[in-house]
Amino acid sequence: MDKEAKIEEIKQRARKNFSLGYNCAECVTEAVLSLVDTGLPGEAKKLATGFGGGGGLFGGTCGAVCGAIMAVGAVHGRSKLPEGEGKEAAMKSKEQLYGKPGLYRLFNIIPNRIEEKYGSTLCGDLTKQWQSSWLCRDHALFCRDLITEAAGIAAELIFADKNELASRPFGKNVENLKD
């Protein structure tokens, strides 16, 4: 199966997951953990449950965005810290995250692409119009589409050249980092 077909398969599985009763974060992580060899057991999807509704229905970062970040982390995340001790190890760790390539550059793509398309990454903002009719048909359809988009972004990042993506300039970020 080629890369584009695998990306589409992940998107469609995440989309279907929503109709099966998975929450937004679970939809994306389950699709990736089921269709990509991450080395993690399928039960790792349990980690996503609490991120639904923007973190326990708090309305923070959209669960689909969190699920996409977790899914990409399952493939490209760190499994251990760099070798070394003290300041040397801390500097190597900082370089892994902030450098060029740096993992934060890769993960930063996800919320920036969602915000670019939807205007926000916060569940409370994204779903504001449905807060008095939570999970009505229009709300469910909107979230299903957002889940599909987030799963697609995650899949693209998983199958892309990690070092190339991790060398791109930062998008919007809390530290206002630029290249």
Side-chain angles (χ1 to χ4, degrees):
M1 183 179 293
D2 73 348
K3 179 173 99 171
E4 294 306 316
K6 196 70 165 174
I7 291 168
E8 188 60 30
E9 184 180 19
I10 289 168
K11 288 172 61 174
Q12 293 311 313
R13 184 170 182 124
R15 184 179 189 88
K16 183 176 181 188
N17 281 345
F18 192 63
S19 66
L20 296 175
Y22 285 105
N23 74 28
C24 43
E26 292 170 328
C27 287
V28 179
T29 55
E30 191 284 333
V32 169
L33 291 175
S34 294
L35 299 172
V36 176
D37 182 11
T38 65
L40 295 173
E43 284 196 358
K45 71 182 171 213
K46 295 190 309 187
L47 295 167
T49 301
F51 291 95
L57 286 179
F58 184 74
T61 301
C62 168
V65 173
C66 294
I69 291 169
M70 285 187 283
V72 173
V75 175
H76 295 309
R78 300 191 298 181
S79 57
K80 62 181 181 173
L81 291 175
E83 299 283 324
E85 295 190 27
K87 278 189 173 184
E88 175 192 1
M91 291 307 290
K92 286 180 184 177
S93 180
K94 180 181 176 186
E95 187 62 24
Q96 273 186 331
L97 297 173
Y98 291 90
K100 201 169 188 179
L103 290 171
Y104 282 159
R105 294 169 188 273
L106 173 68
F107 291 107
N108 182 257
I109 293 168
I110 299 165
N112 275 283
R113 288 210 16 215
I114 293 293
E115 183 176 69
E116 182 178 296
K117 182 167 184 169
Y118 295 95
S120 181
T121 60
L122 297 176
C123 176
D125 292 345
L126 294 164
T127 62
K128 189 174 201 139
Q129 69 189 45
W130 300 292
Q131 289 180 0
S132 64
S133 56
W134 196 256
L135 286 185
C136 68
R137 179 174 167 72
D138 288 342
H139 174 214
L141 293 173
F142 173 82
C143 287
R144 186 184 69 181
D145 288 344
L146 199 155
I147 287 163
T148 305
E149 181 73 18
I153 293 167
E156 288 173 27
L157 297 179
I158 286 167
F159 295 116
D161 180 328
K162 173 183 163 185
N163 285 330
E164 188 273 320
L165 290 175
S167 295
R168 289 185 180 175
F170 279 103
K172 178 180 169 183
N173 64 83
V174 71
E175 293 189 50
N176 204 26
L177 299 170
K178 308 272 186 227
D179 285 331

